[in-house]
Structures are given as C-alpha cells and as structure tokens.
Amino acid sequence: FLTVTSKRFKSIGFANNNSTPKEFILPPANYGAGFRSIFDSSESVVDYQPRLAQPGETVLMPGHALQIWLANR
C-alpha cells in the first residue's frame, strides 16, 4: 500500500496487481477516525459512490484494481 500525508489530509492507496480479489485492512484509529473511498479503478466514474469504512475494517478489492481512501480526522 501507499500512504500520502500532508497538513490538510491523510490518504492511503491499495493496489491489487493480481487477477483474483484481495483483502486489505484499513489502518487503526490512530491513523484516522474513519475512511472514505475517493477513487476505485474497478468502478464506473459516472455512477461512482464513495464508500465509508471504519478503522481496521477489511476492504475487498477486485483484481487489477487501485483504490484511494481519505482518512477522516
């Protein structure tokens, strides 16, 4: 995974380069109070609906996909 941190936001990215789905675990509460998905390469951009998740929650990612999540502070 990849993390990007600035004074304004924290984000985390997950990449699945395999053809089979893979599970990722979001960071614990000391990283953020919750998480919001802002990009998922497996979803249509036209009807994309951001997902909300809790710290430590398991995220299932389709094969050959990239997801970007923002941490809520």
Side-chain angles (χ1 to χ4, degrees), residues 10-27:
K10 282 186 177 181
S11 67
I12 187 165
F14 296 111
N16 182 2
N17 65 346
N18 199 316
S19 60
T20 58
K22 182 174 171 103
E23 290 183 340
F24 289 96
I25 299 173
L26 291 168

Side-chain angles (χ1 to χ4, degrees), residues 21-44:
K22 182 174 171 103
E23 290 183 340
F24 289 96
I25 299 173
L26 291 168
N30 63 339
Y31 192 88
F35 296 89
R36 178 172 35 110
S37 68
I38 60 168
F39 176 77
D40 186 339
S41 66
S42 68
E43 299 282 335
S44 168

Side-chain angles (χ1 to χ4, degrees), residues 11 15-17 22 39 42 49 56-57 61 64 66 70 73:
S11 67
N16 182 2
N17 65 346
K22 182 174 171 103
F39 176 77
S42 68
Q49 295 293 317
E57 190 172 320
M61 239 175 77
H64 301 291
L66 171 71
L70 285 182
R73 294 184 182 205

